[in-house]
Amino acid sequence: MPSSHPLPSPSDPHHGHHCHGLDVRPDWVPENAGAEFTTRVSQGVQPAIAVRHGGGAKRRQLSLDDYFAGVRAGDLSVLARAITLIESNAPAHQELAQTLLTRLLPHTGGAMRVGITGIPGAGKSTFIECLGTRLCESGKKVAVLAVDPSSSVHGGSVLGDKVRMEKLSRHPRAFIRPSPSGGSLGGVARKSREAMLVCEAAGFDTLLIETVGVGQNEVTVRSMVDCFFVMLIAGAGDEMQGIKKGIIELADLVVINKADGENRPRAMAAQADMKRVLHYLHPATPGWETPALLGSAVTGDGVDDIWKSVEGFFAHCRAGGFLRERRQVQAVEWLHALVNEALRSRFYNSPAVKADLHHIEFAVAEGKLPAVAAAQQLLASANFGD
Ligand code: GDP
């Protein structure tokens, strides 16, 4: 089975350039954008959990048993450290992390995994704060994870470093983790997927996985969640919100946020348009007609109905056996994605490829060497081909 989301090559000049730092607006924000795009990108803000549990003093090393027992007991400090372990690229950490994951695996799978995407400024964090707080108050344990590959490009991220969800982050039944900075989207996604499993083993029953809608991110997050919803805002333009790029086809739920005040009529018009579009689309989940719902993360209007719809979706999937099936397919796809990624990395890191890639690229660009022959030559020199 081929990987559904090829990763950019390390020599790709556009590799990961989603975010342009502090002084320049991200390239998905229109030049003349209004207040709805007031995404704050700030550097140097520590995630709440690190503030709470980090510290100057050197911490005691945890053994495998410590990690396992702490996670299973729902200890948030150990959970945070287990995720840090998973995110580490050091070989010794990776080995310990994989052993831990294997031990935790029988205790995973118990959460509703919900993905939320939308352009910066759509209101995702405000919405998650509102929804997450309500869910925690109703007795749920909510973990919020972010998948944002741009965080590794310039050191500042769009999702991870924003000062966000302050109320929810203080709730004892909530756990919020910013995006790992892993380089490629594949690297970030692997870490988030494993973090998701650890959160499940720690007893979280609701996982909210947030991503910035900039293209491949949505497809990747879709492949790790049960229910995927797209958050739109009226007036931001179809092109920009990925509506024309097939993102809506992936959605189990479409939410038009900011349906409040003077904006409500525009949101209602957008909802009517969206309903017409959805009516003609093949549903992302068999037998489930993707609804378009109105919400306001600020007033809280519609948030309960949106969650009821998510619950309805899960009931539908459980009854039809789709949930289990989707997770099985996702796990196998993930396996292939991991193999693909390992092969890529072995290929591009092999000394022969590193030495030859540049001039072979040049020869191909100049029309002096056919691409097929070039690929064969590189694969052979990396000992990948015949
Ligand atoms: P994100 O980038 O998608 O996480 O968006 P934020 O949650 O940071 O919200 C961006 C801006 O929109 C902030 O100024 C929010 O206060 C505002 N906002 C978010 N949700 C709503 C809403 O439902 N109604 C209104 N009027 N403003 C909202």
Side-chain angles (χ1 to χ4, degrees):
M1 201 185 307
S3 164
S4 55
H5 32 77
L7 301 165
S9 115
S11 62
D12 178 353
H14 303 297
H15 181 195
H17 281 204
H18 294 312
C19 177
H20 293 259
L22 295 178
D23 46 345
V24 184
R25 290 178 149 210
D27 54 10
W28 58 84
V29 175
E31 299 254 311
N32 56 352
E36 67 270 29
F37 287 98
T38 52
T39 293
R40 294 145 290 164
V41 180
S42 58
Q43 282 179 324
V45 178
Q46 290 299 311
I49 204 77
V51 173
R52 237 188 282 157
H53 302 291
K58 203 167 183 310
R59 289 178 302 184
R60 187 174 71 83
Q61 293 250 330
L62 297 181
S63 68
L64 178 65
D65 286 341
D66 294 335
Y67 276 116
F68 181 81
V71 168
R72 290 294 293 139
D75 179 326
L76 293 189
S77 132
V78 177
L79 172 63
R81 288 181 68 178
I83 295 176
T84 304
L85 182 76
I86 281 167
E87 291 175 355
S88 165
N89 291 323
H93 292 164
Q94 289 193 354
E95 204 182 308
L96 183 59
Q98 290 311 314
T99 315
L100 175 64
L101 275 170
T102 309
R103 259 181 88 175
L104 292 174
L105 207 59
H107 306 285
T108 65
M112 290 165 82
R113 302 169 180 172
V114 179
I116 300 174
T117 192
I119 55 170
K124 296 177 296 297
S125 14
T126 314
F127 180 84
I128 291 172
E129 163 118 321
C130 174
L131 171 68
T133 308
R134 289 183 187 198
L135 291 174
C136 285
E137 279 164 4
S138 75
K140 298 262 186 207
K141 282 190 77 181
V142 179
V144 180
L145 306 175
V147 176
D148 177 14
S150 64
S151 61
S152 53
V153 180
H154 295 281
S157 77
V158 172
L159 287 179
D161 291 349
K162 276 199 290 176
V163 183
R164 302 167 341 121
M165 304 179 210
E166 279 175 66
K167 189 171 163 214
L168 182 59
S169 67
R170 283 196 300 269
H171 202 289
R173 304 177 72 82
F175 176 76
I176 299 181
R177 182 82 182 185
S179 179
S181 46
S184 66
L185 173 56
V188 171
R190 176 186 73 74
K191 291 168 181 179
S192 302
R193 209 185 280 259
E194 292 178 343
M196 201 166 88
L197 296 174
V198 184
C199 288
E200 286 181 343
F204 286 87
D205 50 40
T206 310
L207 302 181
L208 304 177
I209 321 287
E210 179 188 10
T211 195
V212 189
V214 289
Q216 276 296 304
N217 296 4
E218 295 97 317
V219 181
T220 301
V221 168
R222 207 299 151 251
S223 73
M224 54 202 266
V225 297
D226 307 315
C227 174
F228 184 64
F229 83 71
V230 177
M231 179 165 282
L232 302 175
I233 42 177
D238 289 2
E239 202 65 70
M240 219 172 46
Q241 301 195 84
I243 293 171
K244 291 190 180 146
K245 283 190 227 127
I247 296 309
I248 298 299
E249 276 95 329
L250 303 174
D252 298 309
L253 217 80
V254 174
V255 170
I256 294 134
N257 191 34
K258 308 198 185 183
D260 47 48
E262 286 177 4
N263 202 37
R264 193 165 169 90
R266 288 203 299 159
M268 287 171 75
Q271 180 191 34
D273 286 348
M274 194 41 61
K275 278 186 172 167
R276 271 193 294 278
V277 171
L278 288 167
H279 187 70
Y280 289 106
L281 291 180
H282 191 68
T285 301
W288 174 256
E289 194 167 334
T290 303
L293 304 170
L294 293 179
S296 169
V298 165
T299 65
D301 284 350
V303 173
D304 289 344
D305 285 341
I306 291 166
W307 191 251
K308 268 193 204 116
S309 186
V310 171
E311 287 181 327
F313 171 82
F314 274 89
H316 168 82
C317 287
R318 285 203 181 93
F322 306 129
L323 199 59
R324 192 177 136 84
E325 200 179 297
R326 176 167 276 168
R327 287 185 176 186
Q328 284 176 337
V329 169
Q330 287 174 342
V332 173
E333 276 177 1
W334 184 23
L335 162 73
H336 286 277
L338 289 173
V339 171
N340 286 344
E341 183 157 315
L343 287 174
R344 290 183 67 84
S345 130
R346 270 175 59 196
F347 175 81
Y348 284 107
N349 288 321
S350 91
V353 171
K354 276 185 169 167
D356 293 345
L357 186 61
H358 190 66
H359 70 257
I360 289 186
E361 276 179 349
F362 185 73
V364 170
E366 291 291 304
K368 296 204 169 78
L369 185 63
V372 173
Q376 278 169 351
Q377 193 178 321
L378 284 169
L379 288 163
S381 70
N383 281 331
F384 267 50
D386 302 319

